[in-house]
Amino acid sequence: MIKLADIEHLQIVKASAADVYFALTTARGLSEVWTNELTVHEQVGAVNEFQFGTDDLTKMQIVELNPGERIEWLCIESDQEWVGTSITFELEEKKGKTHITFRHMDWKEVTGFYRFCNYNWAMFLYSLKLYCEEGQGMPYQRRKF
């Protein structure tokens, strides 16, 4: 059996799980955290669209929304290495902080793009932390790296 590659990160945010969930499931939150150019729905089965420049569109189908606990997306359109991969955010509130376990699962192989995305998902989680703690994230349009 072939083991597919996964990206995993843990981020701890000084915010409630409800606030983190809001940031990850609404157009307002995701426009501060990931990209300003987006179409976001808040229901299972819907497809969220995220634009990164003129030629880079990512579509994520919402698989699970468990308020304050878990979010799962399935990539249905993007770079070919992403199509068919799953992204999850597991939230656990402890002593006024939310522990976010992030996973981008089922990569077919570890490539240069996988490594690039691993770095960028860490920056996404940093942007999420900034937004939840300070009110302003670092979406694609404001990044300088």
Side-chain angles (χ1 to χ4, degrees):
M1 181 173 162
I2 297 173
K3 168 70 173 115
L4 301 177
D6 297 340
I7 294 171
E8 295 192 27
H9 293 282
L10 172 66
Q11 177 66 285
I12 300 172
V13 175
K14 294 176 191 167
S16 70
D19 287 347
V20 174
Y21 182 85
F22 175 87
L24 292 169
T25 58
T26 65
R28 181 173 162 200
L30 287 165
S31 70
E32 275 291 325
V33 173
W34 207 11
T35 180
N36 299 154
E37 300 174 54
L38 47 71
T39 303
V40 171
H41 307 279
E42 298 175 44
Q43 62 189 33
V44 172
V47 175
N48 290 342
E49 297 184 10
F50 303 96
Q51 189 77 40
F52 304 90
T54 55
D55 296 327
D56 194 355
L57 175 66
T58 294
K59 293 184 181 181
M60 298 286 186
Q61 183 173 33
I62 301 169
V63 175
E64 182 179 346
L65 292 173
N66 190 346
E69 294 183 16
R70 191 170 193 279
I71 299 155
E72 182 175 348
W73 300 334
L74 173 65
C75 184
I76 59 171
E77 185 177 324
S78 190
D79 184 279
Q80 280 304 304
E81 289 187 48
W82 274 32
V83 174
T85 62
S86 295
I87 294 166
T88 61
F89 302 89
E90 293 178 8
L91 313 177
E92 184 179 2
E93 195 170 331
K94 300 178 188 178
K95 299 180 184 176
K97 297 177 182 176
T98 300
H99 295 236
I100 305 152
T101 301
F102 167 88
R103 291 182 179 93
H104 188 169
M105 301 173 290
D106 302 328
W107 288 73
K108 291 179 179 62
E109 61 184 320
V110 175
T111 63
F113 186 62
Y114 167 95
R115 292 179 180 101
F116 175 77
C117 291
N118 194 348
Y119 169 82
N120 278 283
W121 278 125
M123 296 309 296
F124 171 98
L125 291 168
Y126 178 65
S127 178
L128 175 64
K129 181 177 180 72
L130 287 175
Y131 176 64
C132 290
E133 293 181 357
E134 300 177 15
Q136 184 174 4
M138 190 177 49
Y140 170 79
Q141 290 78 8
R142 286 201 295 264
R143 292 183 185 170
K144 294 181 169 70
F145 56 89

